[in-house]
């Protein structure tokens, strides 16, 4: 369940539900680490091998892969997120999207679908 004061989480959910309706294969990325029980108390363990800067979600449309990082203004990407975006982005097959709103994401993906229809595949 989403809490009220999580605007980026709400934006991500809206984007992913719309992309799912359009037939893309979507999924969120969970990067929090692990929580274990020790003597009745919960202990958080940070995974030292966890990749830093991962986006909030991935979406696949045939051979095109989108990494989606959601932000609300005035928030900006971290150094790790900028580094990941530079390493990941290789159009037309891998596209990193910094999303401040839902409409621009859907508009961009529709443009990619029309331009690279031979690479995209609709899910049934």
């Amino acid at each position: 369940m989403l809490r009220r004061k999580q605007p980026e989480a709400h934006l991500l959910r809206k984007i992913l539900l719309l992309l799912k309706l359009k037939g893309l294969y979507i999924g969120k990325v969970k990067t929090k680490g692990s929580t274990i029980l020790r003597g009745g108390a919960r202990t958080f363990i940070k995974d030292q091998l966890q990749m830093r800067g991962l986006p909030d979600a991935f979406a696949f449309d045939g051979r095109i892969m989108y990494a989606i990082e959601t932000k609300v203004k005035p928030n900006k990407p971290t150094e790790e997120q900028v580094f990941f975006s530079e390493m990941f982005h290789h159009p037309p097959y891998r596209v990193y999207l910094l999303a401040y709103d839902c409409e621009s994401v859907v508009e961009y993906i529709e443009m990619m679908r029309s331009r690279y229809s031979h690479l995209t595949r609709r899910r049934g």
Side-chain angles (χ1 to χ4, degrees), residues 18-25 60-62 64 66 92 106-123:
L18 273 170
L19 296 181
K20 186 175 184 177
L21 285 173
K22 294 191 169 288
L24 279 77
Y25 181 65
F60 295 86
D61 191 10
I64 299 176
Y66 299 93
V106 172
E107 186 178 297
Y108 185 86
I109 289 175
E110 289 298 326
M111 181 273 302
M112 290 291 285
R113 278 187 159 179
S114 65
R115 184 177 292 170
Y116 299 105
S117 60
H118 62 287
L119 299 175
T120 62
R121 173 176 49 96
R122 305 295 196 275
R123 284 177 48 108

Side-chain angles (χ1 to χ4, degrees), residues 41-119:
R42 293 188 183 274
T43 304
F44 178 76
I45 300 172
K46 184 176 178 181
D47 187 346
Q48 298 301 315
L49 298 177
Q50 177 68 48
M51 184 180 283
R52 310 254 333 183
L54 284 173
D56 297 319
F58 287 102
F60 295 86
D61 191 10
R63 289 193 275 167
I64 299 176
M65 179 181 188
Y66 299 93
I68 303 168
E69 176 63 36
T70 53
K71 295 287 180 193
V72 293
K73 292 188 179 186
N75 296 346
K76 295 185 176 169
T78 65
E79 281 184 39
E80 289 94 355
Q81 290 168 334
V82 170
F83 177 76
F84 183 91
S85 72
E86 291 168 355
M87 296 295 293
F88 182 86
H89 193 76
H90 184 72
Y93 298 102
R94 293 191 318 246
V95 179
Y96 188 91
L97 299 174
L98 180 58
Y100 283 99
D101 63 77
C102 189
E103 294 76 20
S104 62
V105 172
V106 172
E107 186 178 297
Y108 185 86
I109 289 175
E110 289 298 326
M111 181 273 302
M112 290 291 285
R113 278 187 159 179
S114 65
R115 184 177 292 170
Y116 299 105
S117 60
H118 62 287
L119 299 175

